[in-house]
């Protein structure tokens, strides 16, 4: 089981938008350049994100995207669901036909894992991710301000 590029890029792009959003819309070209994601791919992802009302767009000069909800009201699971990214540990896609058209012995195990993954991703919001980015930025700034240790001769 793994999260594909679609889900990873969608979460990355939404975090970039959350970090740079504010009074002015953020362009997909800017996200594309900063995150090294194809502009056409971002356009496809943001079309889906807009349909799921996670982002809103502004057309014309100075246009772009901004979040349609507050940071605390957009979870990573919301983003992944919006781009139709299945996270499924089962072999059968939950259809219970993985072992000669019958349910396999470990079906409940993998379905339980799916539930735990989605519970976790439902509890991680863009606000959480932004706070972690700010925390990392603060640590970097503290490291830069710390006096350099000198070697005694």
């Amino acid at each position: 089981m793994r999260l594909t590029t679609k889900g990873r890029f969608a979460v990355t792009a939404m975090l970039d938008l959350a970090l740079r959003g504010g009074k002015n819309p953020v362009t997909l070209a800017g996200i594309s350049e900063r995150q090294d994601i194809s502009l056409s791919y971002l356009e496809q992802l943001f079309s889906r994100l807009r349909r799921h009302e996670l982002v809103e767009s502004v057309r014309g000069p100075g246009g772009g995207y901004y979040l349609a909800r507050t940071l605390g009201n957009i979870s990573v699971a919301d983003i992944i669901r919006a781009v139709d990214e299945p996270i499924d540990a089962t072999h059968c896609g939950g259809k219970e036909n993985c072992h000669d058209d019958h349910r396999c012995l470990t079906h409940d195990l993998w379905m339980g894992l799916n539930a735990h993954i989605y519970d976790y991703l439902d509890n991680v919001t863009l606000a959480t991710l932004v706070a972690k980015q700010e925390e990392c930025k603060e640590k970097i700034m503290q490291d830069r301000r710390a006096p350099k240790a000198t070697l005694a001769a």
Side-chain angles (χ1 to χ4, degrees):
M1 176 194 68
R2 68 182 258 254
L3 183 62
T4 67
T5 302
K6 187 190 311 182
R8 290 179 192 279
F9 282 178
V11 172
T12 299
M14 287 290 284
L15 180 55
D16 185 291
L17 179 61
L19 289 167
R20 286 171 177 73
K23 296 177 184 174
N24 299 320
V26 177
T27 66
L28 292 185
I31 296 172
S32 172
E33 186 176 309
R34 285 186 298 274
Q35 303 306 324
D36 196 26
I37 302 172
S38 156
L39 180 59
S40 62
Y41 199 65
L42 282 173
E43 288 168 347
Q44 293 172 31
L45 293 176
F46 272 73
S47 173
R48 292 176 181 191
L49 294 166
R50 190 178 61 231
R51 276 193 301 256
H52 283 83
E53 300 177 347
L54 297 179
V55 297
E56 292 184 14
S57 61
V58 176
R59 294 178 180 251
Y65 286 86
Y66 57 94
L67 298 175
R69 302 183 204 164
T70 61
L71 294 175
N73 287 322
I74 300 175
S75 73
V76 172
D78 292 333
I79 298 166
I80 290 171
R81 284 187 199 106
V83 296
D84 298 325
E85 178 66 22
I87 296 179
D88 188 6
T90 66
H91 182 66
C92 62
K95 297 177 185 171
E96 299 185 15
N97 63 354
C98 51
H99 188 67
D100 296 327
D101 287 333
H102 299 296
R103 185 176 181 182
C104 70
L105 293 174
T106 56
H107 184 81
D108 289 336
L109 170 69
W110 306 127
M111 290 300 291
L113 177 60
N114 289 347
H116 282 290
I117 291 170
Y118 271 109
D119 284 345
Y120 173 73
L121 295 177
D122 265 331
N123 288 301
V124 178
T125 66
L126 284 178
T128 307
L129 298 176
V130 166
K132 286 185 189 256
Q133 288 297 311
E134 295 298 327
E135 184 181 306
C136 289
K137 196 184 304 182
E138 181 61 31
K139 285 180 183 176
I140 290 170
M141 292 305 293
Q142 287 175 354
D143 288 347
R144 288 183 183 159
R145 285 185 236 138
K148 303 284 185 207
T150 57
L151 295 175

